[in-house]
Amino acid sequence: MSQAERLNELRELMWSAPESDSARAVALIFSFALVVAVLWLVRRQRLREEYTPIWIGTAAAMALVSVHPDILRTLARLMSAWTLSSTVFFLGLVFLVAICLNYAVRLSRANLQIKNLAQEVALIGARLDRMSRLEGKVEY
Amino acid sequence: MPSEPWILIIPAFNEAKNLARVLTTVTSTGLDFESVVIDDGSLDDTGAVAARSGATVIRHPFNLGYGAALQTGYKYALDRHASLLVQMDADGQHDPREIPELIAPVLRQELDLVVGSRFIEPTDYRMGLARRIGRELFSGLARLNGLKVSDPTSGFQAMNRTTLRLYGRDFFPTDYPDVDVLLTAHRHGLRVGEHSVRMSPGVRSSRLHSGSRAVYYVYKMLLSTWTASTSRRRRKENGL
């Protein structure tokens, strides 16, 4: 048997290894806790509803994968990953990078809005000063 | 003052020390400008000094940045239906006595935007090696895009209302509006040119372009210049 064939066999062996029940239970508990945390934050008005779908979706995906680990196994095969855990870590990283980028875009938009708003406030202030000066109410 | 006033904007951040002298020099030129100081969230008496000197003061509620302060001035000028705007720095490096020559090409309707350049004619203005390389780099990038500009970091500029309408838009940077905005103006079909001026070394440039900020400045300017040079070319006949 060639080295490549042996490696493939080893990879198949790792893919078909049964998942531990405790790992699946932890994933389920974590996804449930995530949903609870999101709902609690929304109820306390510390998280806006529009930001919740991504986190509820993440929790649902985690729960789905822990109930049906074959989904993860299929993904690992598609990605030619060696282990299911490395697949989870890789997908987790991709998700985090994507969400950071998304928030950077939102932050940029918020910065622009704050800048425009501050300029508008300053301009209104100047307009009021001017009107007051014209009416002779303000002396510098 | 004409029905469409001429406006001189001076963005200022903690410039109480220099501002009175600058405004006195502006007044002594006898130019028919409304002087507007944009107090960019100063912690000193910048706003009060400007008001005592007779200038209109626009106060930012907090520090927004040099570019944002300029843009507030542009927006004010648009609001006042100004036909001409001159911008200069508050640190005294620009000489208001040069304004008549700076605005002449705009008044003759030859140019939409005039940049006061230190490097058209030989002057005693000295620049460090790093900044000289930066200037050459960004001037070169502008030239590649068909814009001839020898002093892309000059804050001494004159412009007409068409330019103001463009500069009032959201693309205008809040920090360093240099060659990238000139390039954007050029790509929008505005006529951008230069006029030789003399400047004394100021503190704004050294503050903005020194230390680790210089590295970020080069990075940011390369990125924004690329953005400006690859943006869709538009003509001013199309309403910008």
Side-chain angles (χ1 to χ4, degrees):
Chain A
M1 187 185 285
S2 71
Q3 194 173 9
E5 287 171 332
R6 284 168 61 201
L7 282 171
N8 274 339
E9 195 175 315
L10 182 59
R11 193 179 291 184
E12 282 293 337
L13 195 64
M14 294 187 82
W15 282 341
S16 58
E19 296 73 30
S20 78
D21 287 341
S22 58
R24 293 170 62 181
V26 166
L28 263 179
I29 292 168
F30 185 79
S31 50
F32 180 71
L34 184 58
V35 171
V36 171
V38 167
L39 294 178
W40 183 77
L41 287 168
V42 171
R43 192 163 170 273
R44 297 287 302 270
Q45 298 186 336
R46 289 168 65 181
L47 180 66
R48 288 163 58 104
E49 289 86 347
E50 64 185 275
Y51 293 102
T52 56
I54 186 88
W55 299 112
I56 299 290
T58 305
M62 281 170 60
L64 185 70
V65 164
S66 50
V67 173
H68 297 288
D70 283 347
I71 296 172
L72 194 59
R73 201 168 279 124
T74 308
L75 282 172
R77 279 177 204 277
L78 284 171
M79 293 162 55
S80 299
W82 273 88
T83 62
L84 298 189
S85 56
S86 63
T87 309
V88 170
F89 279 118
F90 175 73
L91 292 176
L93 269 179
V94 168
F95 170 74
L96 287 177
V97 168
I99 205 149
C100 283
L101 195 59
N102 177 270
Y103 283 136
V105 170
R106 286 173 190 268
L107 195 61
S108 300
R109 192 165 57 212
N111 275 343
L112 180 66
Q113 288 168 336
I114 290 169
K115 187 261 300 175
N116 285 341
L117 200 60
Q119 286 180 324
E120 197 57 42
V121 167
L123 289 168
I124 289 170
R127 208 174 296 156
L128 284 174
D129 279 354
R130 195 160 166 273
M131 284 165 65
S132 301
R133 262 206 312 272
L134 287 174
E135 290 171 13
K137 287 183 181 170
V138 168
E139 282 298 323
Y140 284 104
Chain B
M1 195 167 287
S3 59
E4 292 184 335
W6 293 357
I7 292 194
L8 171 72
I9 60 166
I10 305 177
F13 177 63
N14 293 341
E15 292 286 1
K17 220 162 42 177
N18 300 313
L19 201 53
R21 184 169 44 85
V22 172
L23 286 167
T24 305
T25 318
V26 169
T27 310
S28 69
T29 59
L31 294 164
D32 195 14
F33 276 92
E34 175 186 351
S35 299
V36 180
V37 172
I38 299 99
D39 178 3
D40 191 18
S42 297
L43 302 171
D44 63 5
D45 288 336
T46 296
V49 169
R52 273 200 301 273
S53 304
T56 300
V57 183
I58 305 176
R59 292 179 184 84
H60 282 172
F62 44 84
N63 184 250
L64 290 174
Y66 175 74
L70 281 175
Q71 197 189 38
T72 301
Y74 304 147
K75 288 180 176 178
Y76 176 81
L78 284 168
D79 205 28
R80 299 270 288 120
H81 304 285
S83 58
L84 176 75
L85 177 137
V86 171
Q87 65 179 58
M88 59 184 285
D89 288 351
D91 56 8
Q93 70 167 319
H94 303 142
D95 187 351
R97 287 169 298 191
E98 306 240 30
I99 292 176
E101 287 195 30
L102 189 73
I103 63 176
V106 180
L107 294 178
R108 288 196 301 265
Q109 299 187 352
E110 290 168 4
L111 294 173
D112 298 301
L113 171 63
V114 185
V115 181
S117 171
R118 290 159 277 193
F119 307 108
I120 293 176
E121 289 167 13
T123 61
D124 51 359
Y125 190 90
R126 292 290 168 265
M127 214 177 216
L129 179 67
R131 290 186 58 204
R132 229 168 33 229
I133 293 170
R135 180 176 72 84
E136 290 296 337
L137 171 69
F138 293 120
S139 296
L141 286 174
R143 258 197 312 276
L144 280 178
N145 287 281
L147 174 65
K148 219 175 138 192
V149 59
S150 63
D151 194 358
T153 62
S154 169
F156 198 18
Q157 298 181 13
M159 63 196 72
N160 62 11
R161 193 169 168 79
T162 314
T163 310
L164 285 175
R165 279 173 47 223
L166 176 67
Y167 279 7
R169 291 189 181 171
D170 283 344
F171 84 92
F172 200 83
T174 56
D175 46 11
Y176 320 107
D178 288 336
V179 70
D180 50 343
V181 294
L182 296 178
L183 208 46
T184 303
H186 173 66
R187 289 194 57 93
H188 275 78
L190 299 186
R191 296 160 299 171
V192 182
E194 289 187 304
H195 178 77
S196 179
V197 295
R198 299 174 74 85
M199 289 187 204
S200 53
V203 291
R204 177 186 89 85
S205 303
S206 54
R207 208 164 51 206
L208 287 179
H209 308 133
S210 63
S212 59
R213 284 184 183 187
V215 179
Y216 171 71
Y217 172 80
V218 171
Y219 162 78
K220 190 257 169 183
M221 203 46 69
L222 284 173
L223 192 60
S224 52
T225 305
W226 173 76
T227 310
S229 60
T230 52
S231 64
R232 201 153 52 93
R233 193 183 276 270
R234 291 178 189 166
R235 307 300 302 176
K236 67 175 173 176
E237 297 89 69
N238 299 335
L240 292 173

